[in-house]
Amino acid sequence: TSTDFRMFTSNYENLLGAEVRLPNDIKYTSLYIDANRTRYYNGKKRGTKNSFDADYSNLKGVTFEIKNYFEVENKIGDMVFGILTFLELFNTSTGSIFIQVNSKSYKEQLVLLTELELPPLNEIYCQNFFQTFDKFERIKRIYTSFDDYIYFTKRIDKDDNELLLINFDISGSTPNFLKKGVKIIFDDGEMLDYPQEKIDVSVSKKDYRDYDVKAVFLMDNELIKKVKTNLITDVRLYVYDVSPPKFYAQEIQAKFNCLIENTYLLKE
């Protein structure tokens, strides 16, 4: 059975010793021969420095044991965009190879051959929320994430009044400025329309995007209830669309419910 390994965020130790194989189409997966990821796998002892010289043809059908995992900051300059997780895969014939398993492309990169019982969704997704505090305004903000393209913020003022905001940060290929309009479609087919919400478009610092398209606004009771009980299937910010895969929509919903039920844990 194929498994999205983001399901094991903060639970990667549960994968140790499990058997996996690479999918049949591994054309767009980066495999390395060293933990520092300086050389790509090409079937030879020294590997290669260039990704276009990588050759994974002899890895098809090979069974690996997940031997170890490690996490590194995803940095562009001084900015940190979340955490990247790499698994060490071991086979007696190939030795160790290393693969990134939480790519933002959300591709299924490994096929899990060992049956593993997943923990509850709230334990999987609600371990690393972020909190900030404005000392001057005495306002606390709790974020479900900073690196998801749909995430939520709880704002708590000095009188313990709470507000919930929804945040969008998606990719755009063309510049459009001073535009408005957010539409959200759910898995029951209902669409909620927010035509007056402002859209911010800026040149992206991320190497896989041309433009960052963002929106953030206060959630009304209708939207709160909808996100609690239904999965988001499609989002449009002005003319920019994104359709979250089902497992990502489940993650979004689980994080939101943890936020409003106060069952989350803050990132240490």
Side-chain angles (χ1 to χ4, degrees):
T1 176
S2 297
T3 298
D4 166 33
F5 282 83
R6 284 171 56 91
M7 295 288 285
F8 289 90
T9 300
S10 302
N11 293 280
Y12 284 104
E13 61 274 9
N14 293 340
L15 288 172
L16 299 183
E19 290 189 342
V20 296
R21 66 170 175 81
L22 297 167
N24 292 329
D25 181 8
I26 56 176
K27 181 178 179 180
Y28 301 106
T29 298
S30 293
L31 300 176
Y32 306 89
I33 65 168
D34 62 332
N36 294 324
R37 307 178 313 286
T38 58
R39 302 188 75 87
Y40 293 86
Y41 180 90
N42 68 342
K44 299 179 181 179
K45 185 175 182 180
R46 286 182 53 81
T48 177
K49 290 185 177 180
N50 301 310
S51 60
F52 53 80
D53 289 331
D55 180 5
Y56 308 149
S57 58
N58 65 335
L59 298 180
K60 292 183 179 180
V62 176
T63 298
F64 295 91
E65 176 191 348
I66 298 178
K67 191 173 183 180
N68 204 352
Y69 74 95
F70 57 99
E71 298 175 326
V72 297
E73 291 182 337
N74 181 20
K75 297 183 70 174
I76 301 177
D78 295 328
M79 298 292 291
V80 177
F81 297 95
I83 301 295
L84 302 179
T85 303
F86 293 83
L87 297 181
E88 178 182 358
L89 309 181
F90 179 78
N91 178 280
T92 54
S93 62
T94 63
S96 290
I97 61 174
F98 300 84
I99 182 174
Q100 181 185 334
V101 294
N102 58 343
S103 168
K104 294 301 285 184
S105 67
Y106 299 108
K107 291 180 68 65
E108 293 178 336
Q109 294 174 293
L110 291 171
V111 178
L112 186 63
L113 303 178
T114 304
E115 288 192 12
L116 296 177
E117 182 177 351
L118 288 173
L121 289 181
N122 65 317
E123 291 183 17
I124 297 172
Y125 294 129
C126 302
Q127 303 294 312
N128 290 300
F129 283 29
F130 297 86
Q131 179 174 293
T132 63
F133 182 68
D134 185 328
K135 295 180 181 179
F136 297 97
E137 301 296 333
R138 301 194 62 80
I139 293 175
K140 181 166 59 175
R141 292 179 176 86
I142 300 101
Y143 301 86
T144 59
S145 174
F146 283 135
D147 61 348
D148 288 331
Y149 58 79
I150 303 173
Y151 61 97
F152 304 94
T153 308
K154 179 189 287 187
R155 180 187 182 276
I156 306 174
D157 67 17
K158 61 183 187 319
D159 298 318
D160 289 330
N161 297 311
E162 295 186 2
L163 295 174
L164 292 169
L165 298 98
I166 188 168
N167 305 259
F168 300 95
D169 181 358
I170 68 175
S171 174
S173 58
T174 57
N176 281 287
F177 303 103
L178 302 177
K179 301 300 182 180
K180 296 180 179 180
V182 176
K183 296 180 179 180
I184 309 170
I185 299 177
F186 295 86
D187 61 356
D188 62 354
E190 183 176 357
M191 182 180 74
L192 298 184
D193 191 359
Y194 302 89
Q196 297 306 311
E197 296 301 337
K198 295 180 180 179
I199 307 301
D200 177 63
V201 181
S202 59
V203 176
S204 182
K205 295 181 179 179
K206 303 179 178 71
D207 57 7
Y208 56 88
R209 287 185 180 181
D210 295 321
Y211 297 93
D212 293 328
V213 183
K214 299 182 180 182
V216 55
F217 58 90
L218 186 66
M219 300 178 71
D220 57 22
N221 289 334
E222 182 181 26
L223 181 55
I224 292 171
K225 181 179 179 181
K226 204 68 183 172
V227 175
K228 281 178 61 177
T229 56
N230 291 91
L231 302 180
I232 296 174
T233 61
D234 301 273
V235 173
R236 172 169 290 177
L237 307 185
Y238 180 52
V239 295
Y240 306 96
D241 296 352
V242 65
S243 299
K246 184 176 180 180
F247 67 81
Y248 183 58
Q250 291 172 331
E251 175 182 344
I252 294 168
Q253 184 184 65
K255 287 181 175 180
F256 180 71
N257 286 330
C258 286
L259 182 67
I260 62 177
E261 295 168 4
N262 296 316
T263 55
Y264 57 85
L265 294 177
L266 295 174
K267 185 175 180 63
E268 296 181 358

